[in-house]
């Protein structure tokens, strides 16, 4: 498995850390560079890692949707009925 995707990933983590610690305008440039580096590392990652991340995202999204639906059903149950 080629590990070349780790170079932009480490760069993204380093610039992300710099982005959080800095308050200057250069921090915004570092944040943009970190986002681009992170996306590049995901593109360069082997298919096994991409597939694993996809499964994790799908599981987390499914759980969040279930929580949101349960909150909506609880909110509709608690609302008083309208009298016509």
């Amino acid at each position: 498995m080629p590990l070349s995707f780790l170079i932009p990933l480490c760069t993204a983590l380093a610039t992300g850390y710099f982005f959080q610690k800095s308050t200057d305008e250069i921090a915004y440039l570092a944040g943009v560079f970190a986002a681009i580096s992170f996306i590049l590392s995901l593109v360069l990652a082997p298919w096994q890692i991409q597939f694993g991340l996809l499964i994790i995202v799908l599981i987390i999204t499914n759980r969040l949707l279930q929580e949101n639906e349960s909150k909506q059903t609880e909110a509709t149950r608690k609302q008083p009925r309208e009298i016509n």
Side-chain angles (χ1 to χ4, degrees), residues 4-16 29-45:
S4 61
F5 74 97
L6 291 177
I7 295 169
L9 181 63
C10 292
T11 305
L13 293 174
T15 54
L29 284 172
V32 169
F33 189 72
I36 291 170
S37 296
F38 185 70
I39 291 169
L40 182 64
S41 68
L42 288 177
V43 170
L44 294 176

Side-chain angles (χ1 to χ4, degrees), residues 15-55:
T15 54
Y17 177 77
F18 180 70
F19 174 71
Q20 286 188 345
K21 295 296 180 183
S22 180
T23 58
D24 300 339
E25 292 179 8
I26 195 75
Y28 296 114
L29 284 172
V32 169
F33 189 72
I36 291 170
S37 296
F38 185 70
I39 291 169
L40 182 64
S41 68
L42 288 177
V43 170
L44 294 176
W47 69 270
Q48 296 94 344
I49 294 175
Q50 291 177 350
F51 184 70
L53 288 173
L54 178 66
I55 297 299

